[in-house]
Amino acid sequence: MKEEKLPSVVGSKSFTAVAINCAAKAGEWVKTKLGTTLQLNQKVSASDLVTEIDKGSERLIRNLISTHFPQHSFLGEEGVEPGADASTQAIASAKDAEYLWIVDPIDGTTNFVHGFPFFCVSIALAYKGEVIVGVIYDPSSDELFVAEKGKGAYVHGKRLEISKEMKLQESLIATGFPPDQSYALPLNLRAIARLAPQVRNIRSGGSAALHMAYVAAGRLTGFFEYNLNSWDLAAGSLIIQEAGGKVTDIEGHSYHLEVRDVVASNGHIHQELLQELGRV
Ligand code: IPD
Ligand code: CA
Ligand code: CA
């Protein structure tokens, strides 16, 4: 009788344990490279950077994941051509995979390059198009945000809870300054101008994934940004939802892997935030 050849899988570690291990290892390695001489490459503009550390971090994560789950699919930022079209295309063709790992090896590369300690590693696992594990690791503060579908969201064993603000007026809202200066940046700037007089204040830390983690942790009331990629949002979307918050596109449709214009919040202020953004 012919023996069936099984894929070689090391051990039987849970998806979440592997995601945590990858994020922690990659984040620690990235941190050791802070302040070293970096070879900078531009993607679409001088505000869109990539370093050999982004690529090394992604390689490390991809190798570890394929050691445990060689049959799973993988979508990492550094494996995709620069630009919105290629990113849109990449998630459109990957999203139907049974198991898909979605990875941003450094979210906040500009901060990393400048030594501004607000960047992270973001790893999500989607099963048939739905995110089931999300891990975001900030090596500067050694905070690891983790969520499993239906099991809550945690940072170092402490359950994450969204903030209590009920009105936009009391809200601390984050956004980004996108590297895409022709489409996303002007939209974001108009939204900032519209929102600034109506909220408690606006922040822009420079890492979409960490902003999402901060919404889950109740440190921010909400976050919005235009033209983000699946790897910026996938892990954070689950972490926020598991912390009791809400994630939609700019029109209020529930989050899915192809969302690019995102609105995330504690839920209470979501409608008000959507309404204001709708007027931009
Ligand atoms: C960027 C960061 C930034 C956001 C940009 C993203 P990267 O990701 O999340 O906060 O404003 O739109 O591209 O390039 O550092 O992975
Ligand atoms: Ca990113
Ligand atoms: Ca990145």
Side-chain angles (χ1 to χ4, degrees):
M1 201 173 74
K2 205 170 161 224
E3 241 182 71
E4 202 187 333
K5 205 166 178 228
L6 292 169
S8 50
V9 179
V10 178
S12 57
K13 270 197 160 183
S14 81
F15 299 148
T16 308
V18 171
I20 289 173
N21 191 20
C22 287
K25 278 220 167 76
E28 283 308 320
W29 179 74
V30 166
K31 196 175 152 191
T32 65
K33 302 294 176 187
L34 258 180
T36 60
T37 313
L38 298 168
Q39 195 198 317
L40 291 186
N41 292 306
Q42 293 180 14
K43 285 187 166 178
V44 284
S45 71
S47 4
D48 197 3
L49 300 174
V50 63
T51 69
E52 72 271 31
I53 313 305
D54 297 73
K55 294 177 185 158
S57 172
E58 182 159 315
R59 224 170 13 248
L60 187 157
I61 296 166
R62 184 194 272 265
N63 285 343
L64 263 173
I65 289 173
S66 67
T67 302
H68 290 283
F69 308 116
Q71 65 281 54
H72 287 189
S73 302
F74 184 94
L75 176 64
E77 177 176 14
E78 308 314 333
V80 177
E81 290 294 312
D85 289 351
S87 314
T88 306
Q89 185 78 53
I91 187 63
S93 45
K95 72 178 189 338
D96 294 326
E98 189 181 26
Y99 286 100
L100 174 66
W101 292 84
I102 304 169
V103 171
D104 193 335
I106 303 180
D107 186 56
T109 297
T110 306
N111 286 345
F112 170 69
V113 166
H114 286 262
F116 184 95
F118 196 79
F119 52 87
C120 65
V121 176
S122 175
I123 300 180
L125 174 62
Y127 174 69
K128 295 188 175 170
E130 191 185 6
V131 182
I132 55 167
V133 175
V135 173
I136 292 175
Y137 181 54
D138 171 354
S140 310
S141 65
D142 188 29
E143 284 190 307
L144 195 140
F145 302 87
V146 51
E148 262 181 59
K149 179 97 198 143
K151 295 193 180 161
Y154 297 85
V155 63
H156 295 316
K158 187 171 164 282
R159 194 152 187 157
L160 292 172
E161 265 179 54
I162 41 84
S163 68
K164 297 193 170 31
E165 295 83 51
M166 299 302 288
K167 296 186 207 145
L168 211 47
Q169 260 177 354
E170 306 161 341
S171 298
L172 188 61
I173 303 290
T175 187
F177 290 91
D180 162 17
Q181 292 167 349
S182 54
Y183 165 70
L185 185 61
L187 266 175
N188 252 42
L189 291 176
R190 280 211 298 278
I192 292 170
R194 162 131 213 119
L195 279 173
Q198 310 200 47
V199 297
R200 183 163 283 156
N201 219 320
I202 295 200
R203 295 287 178 263
S204 185
S207 162
L210 264 188
H211 285 145
M212 298 279 279
Y214 275 32
V215 172
R219 299 170 190 172
L220 288 168
T221 321
F223 166 68
F224 72 92
E225 190 169 337
Y226 295 88
N227 216 19
L228 289 170
N229 297 308
S230 55
W231 45 79
D232 300 311
L233 299 173
S237 71
L238 182 65
I239 298 174
I240 291 180
Q241 285 165 5
E242 288 295 323
K246 191 162 179 168
V247 186
T248 67
D249 67 12
I250 211 90
E251 280 159 1
H253 303 119
S254 300
Y255 170 81
H256 56 83
L257 291 179
E258 290 176 282
V259 167
R260 298 185 63 81
D261 302 337
V262 77
V263 180
S265 80
N266 65 358
H268 310 310
I269 60 130
H270 208 86
Q271 207 43 44
E272 233 189 317
L273 183 54
L274 282 174
Q275 249 162 27
E276 289 309 322
L277 291 170
R279 296 197 181 123
V280 167

